[in-house]
């Protein structure tokens, strides 16, 4: 059983889905949780946590607002710093490349890739000074293998892998580890909305013959947070889709 008692964990995009599952897993392991969302997190969601949580609300694509929110966090009385940062927040705007507008391409990259950097940079600076820290970035199997209709999303998630490797090299001497998780097809509102025929076609390419669960991504995050000899890696959790 993982034990993160006394550790402070910030999870972006933690109002639902994978981000919420990761936050709950760290909460169950005793961590102090800082949740983040672009919009208000519902009271019933907050009530699902075992311990008190703090909530930050800002758009990660807005570098100025992001930095201001994080600066205010660090200025709080008795705040000891962030031990673990999980960059999960992201969006999709799927369209075949020939129909993709420059605006839709830029928006997805700006949120998923630039937004990840906007959150990471100020936290990374503090981790450098405190001489420890863990950063876990949510990429995607699409960032490794590409996917029709997701040129913008694939580019952003591939960029996160490059960001992860570079930060891992920069942070290692200060005992900061940086890794990425690349989920495959995970049960979610998005996958549930797919036609049954589409789901069946996708399942044909997954050796384990099922979609993943959000808790399986959350357990991977816990593993990366506590294993002190893994850095710069991308852990694929996809049922064998990308073999």
């Amino acid at each position: 059983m993982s034990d993160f008692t006394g550790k402070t964990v910030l999870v972006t995009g933690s109002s639902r889905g994978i981000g919420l599952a990761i936050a709950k897993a760290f909460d169950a392991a005793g961590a102090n949780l800082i949740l983040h969302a672009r919009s208000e997190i519902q009271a019933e969601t907050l009530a699902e946590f075992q311990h008190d949580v703090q909530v930050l609300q800002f758009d990660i694509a807005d570098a100025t607002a992001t930095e201001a929110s994080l600066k205010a966090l660090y200025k709080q009385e008795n705040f000891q710093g962030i031990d673990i940062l999980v960059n999960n927040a992201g969006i999709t705007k799927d369209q075949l490349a020939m129909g993709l507008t420059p605006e839709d391409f830029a928006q997805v990259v700006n949120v998923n890739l630039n937004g990840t950097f906007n959150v990471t940079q100020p936290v990374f600076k503090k981790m450098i000074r405190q001489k420890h820290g863990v950063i876990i970035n949510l990429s995607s199997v699409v960032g490794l293998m590409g996917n029709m209709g997701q040129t913008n999303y694939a580019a952003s998630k591939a960029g996160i892998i490059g960001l992860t490797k570079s930060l891992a090299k920069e942070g290692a001497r200060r005992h900061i580890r940086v890794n990425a998780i690349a989920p495959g097809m995970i049960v979610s509102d998005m996958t549930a909305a797919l036609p049954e025929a589409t789901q069946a076609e996708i399942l044909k390419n997954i050796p384990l013959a099922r979609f993943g669960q959000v808790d399986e991504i959350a357990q991977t995050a816990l593993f990366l947070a506590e294993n002190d000899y893994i850095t710069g890696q991308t852990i694929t959790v996809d049922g064998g889709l990308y073999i």
Side-chain angles (χ1 to χ4, degrees), residues 8-226:
T8 298
V9 183
L10 168 59
V11 184
T12 69
S14 48
S15 63
R16 60 179 181 168
I18 290 174
L20 180 58
I22 290 173
K24 285 182 178 179
F26 277 109
D27 175 61
N32 304 313
L33 258 295
I34 303 171
L35 307 181
H36 158 270
R38 185 173 59 179
S39 55
E40 184 178 358
I41 298 179
Q42 299 300 313
E44 52 266 32
T45 299
L46 298 177
E48 296 174 7
F49 286 83
Q50 299 177 23
H51 307 95
D52 291 338
V53 298
Q54 184 170 353
V55 178
L56 299 181
Q57 187 176 334
F58 57 86
D59 182 355
I60 65 171
D62 185 334
T64 301
T66 299
E67 184 177 22
S69 294
L70 292 172
K71 280 185 175 180
L73 175 67
Y74 277 96
K75 287 181 179 178
Q76 290 180 3
E77 187 177 0
N78 299 322
F79 185 72
Q80 299 298 310
I82 295 169
D83 300 294
I84 302 163
L85 167 63
V86 182
N87 285 305
N88 168 74
I91 63 170
T92 59
K93 278 205 168 184
D94 296 348
Q95 177 64 265
L96 291 174
M98 60 188 300
L100 191 65
T101 67
E103 292 76 17
D104 285 347
F105 187 93
Q107 184 180 8
V108 170
V109 172
N110 195 33
V111 173
N112 296 358
L113 181 54
N114 297 0
T116 294
F117 178 76
N118 291 341
V119 176
T120 299
Q121 188 184 46
V123 175
F124 188 70
K125 288 178 180 178
K126 295 292 186 181
M127 287 181 172
I128 290 288
R129 295 190 185 100
Q130 69 191 26
K131 297 183 180 180
H132 75 271
V134 174
I135 299 173
I136 301 168
N137 297 321
L138 269 292
S139 180
S140 169
V141 69
V142 170
L144 295 167
M145 61 187 288
N147 195 33
M148 289 182 62
Q150 290 191 307
T151 304
N152 49 2
Y153 187 73
S156 70
K157 293 300 185 177
I160 285 174
I161 293 172
L163 176 69
T164 297
K165 291 178 179 293
S166 297
L167 286 173
K169 290 187 175 183
E170 292 185 16
R173 291 185 179 181
R174 293 286 181 154
H175 308 289
I176 300 166
R177 297 185 299 102
V178 189
N179 291 292
I181 301 173
M185 292 297 294
I186 305 301
V187 174
S188 65
D189 293 341
M190 182 183 70
T191 54
L194 293 173
E196 289 187 10
T198 301
Q199 294 189 40
E201 191 63 31
I202 294 171
L203 283 171
K204 289 180 182 178
N205 296 312
I206 301 176
L208 289 183
R210 67 174 178 87
F211 291 166
Q213 301 291 326
V214 292
D215 288 343
E216 291 169 319
I217 307 301
Q219 290 304 314
T220 306
L222 293 184
F223 168 73
L224 288 174
E226 63 187 349

